[in-house]
Amino acid sequence: EPEVTQTPSHQVTQMGQEVILRCVPISNHLYFYWYRQILGQKVEFLVSFYNNEISEKSEIFDDQFSVERPDGSNFTLKIRSTKLEDSAMYFCASTADSGGEAFFGQGTRLTVV
Amino acid sequence: RKEVEQDPGPFNVPEGATVAFNCTYSNSASQSFFWYRQDCRKEPKLLMSVYSSGNEDGRFTAQLNRASQYISLLIRDSKLSDSATYLCVVTVSSGNTPLVFGKGTRLSVIA
């Protein structure tokens, strides 16, 4: 069964450092998303991406965040200068079409110390 | 303002019990509705979509009331393996719109 894969599964970083979270969406999917979930909180939308550009972003997705699809398979989320409050589980998701079932990766647990 | 609201629980029920979860959403433009299941520290996984006419998948039944902006999930004959957090999710399905998650309702099925 095709799946969304994310690496690394866990990343610990010092405050102020840059991190790149990586995702490989399902190969024939066209829409890509990043969500995050702070421990004990709800899953929150960060950004959606289609046709090589950002479709929509939330107020969480400020100038410290960026996304990229550097090649035909990877989809990355970069946090330029991490803050303690960026500590969360980050989920990548993809859908084959607009409004279709979203498949989530297993997540990257980011811990900022 | 909470966009998708759920009772956080926990619901502790014995095996074999029937349990119902409710959810309300604030955006009247919402078009698509889902129940996701999330195990501890894992990713959300789609349990079922929710249709206006109501739908059933084995032991699971979902209902939607658009007028009241209310969604429900009924689980019959609970199994130990049903223990998880159940997330109510809505989206305005126009273009590449994001999913809006409720905080989830935690279910523990006890032997």
Side-chain angles (χ1 to χ4, degrees):
Chain A
E1 183 180 322
E3 59 181 14
V4 177
T5 57
Q6 290 185 243
T7 54
S9 57
H10 191 187
Q11 172 127 20
V12 181
T13 189
Q14 287 200 322
M15 194 168 54
Q17 294 297 303
E18 174 184 287
V19 294
I20 297 176
L21 310 183
R22 302 180 192 279
C23 170
V24 179
I26 295 172
S27 61
N28 63 341
H29 283 191
L30 301 176
Y31 300 84
F32 315 116
Y33 309 81
W34 283 101
Y35 291 83
R36 79 169 187 191
Q37 187 175 31
I38 295 170
L39 188 64
Q41 302 297 313
K42 66 179 181 180
V43 177
E44 298 174 292
F45 167 73
L46 293 178
V47 65
S48 57
F49 193 86
Y50 170 71
N51 201 25
N52 286 319
E53 60 183 22
I54 290 174
S55 308
E56 190 170 340
K57 58 184 180 180
S58 72
E59 59 190 25
I60 302 169
F61 194 88
D62 61 22
D63 292 344
Q64 293 299 313
F65 290 86
S66 62
V67 289
E68 202 175 42
R69 188 155 162 81
D71 53 43
S73 59
N74 290 287
F75 179 50
T76 62
L77 174 70
K78 182 192 291 187
I79 308 175
R80 199 162 295 120
S81 176
T82 50
K83 303 187 283 287
L84 294 176
E85 54 264 39
D86 292 329
S87 296
M89 189 75 130
Y90 288 80
F91 293 109
C92 174
S94 68
T95 63
D97 48 47
S98 170
E101 178 182 349
F103 291 82
F104 284 79
Q106 291 183 312
T108 293
R109 180 168 300 283
L110 176 66
T111 303
V112 183
V113 297
Chain B
R1 170 176 134 266
K2 292 183 180 179
E3 296 186 61
V4 178
E5 200 157 346
Q6 298 180 248
D7 181 343
F11 283 59
N12 300 313
V13 303
E15 272 187 290
T18 295
V19 61
F21 305 137
N22 303 317
C23 165
T24 57
Y25 59 94
S26 60
N27 187 350
S28 58
S30 299
Q31 293 293 321
S32 297
F33 309 91
F34 310 93
W35 284 101
Y36 276 72
R37 171 195 169 126
Q38 187 175 30
D39 293 291
C40 189
R41 295 178 181 255
K42 299 287 188 182
E43 75 275 24
K45 291 186 177 178
L46 180 65
L47 179 65
M48 58 197 305
S49 301
V50 187
Y51 304 115
S52 296
S53 54
N55 48 301
E56 190 174 308
D57 183 2
R59 297 180 295 109
F60 299 85
T61 300
Q63 297 277 355
L64 167 64
N65 184 323
R66 284 185 186 271
S68 303
Q69 295 182 195
Y70 170 95
I71 306 161
S72 66
L73 176 68
L74 184 78
I75 305 175
R76 289 180 298 279
D77 190 22
S78 300
K79 312 287 185 196
L80 295 175
S81 56
D82 293 334
S83 297
T85 296
Y86 290 83
L87 309 175
C88 178
V89 182
V90 307
T91 185
V92 177
S93 289
S94 59
N96 195 14
T97 51
L99 301 174
V100 181
F101 286 79
K103 199 172 174 183
T105 299
R106 196 148 55 90
L107 171 67
S108 290
V109 181
I110 305 160

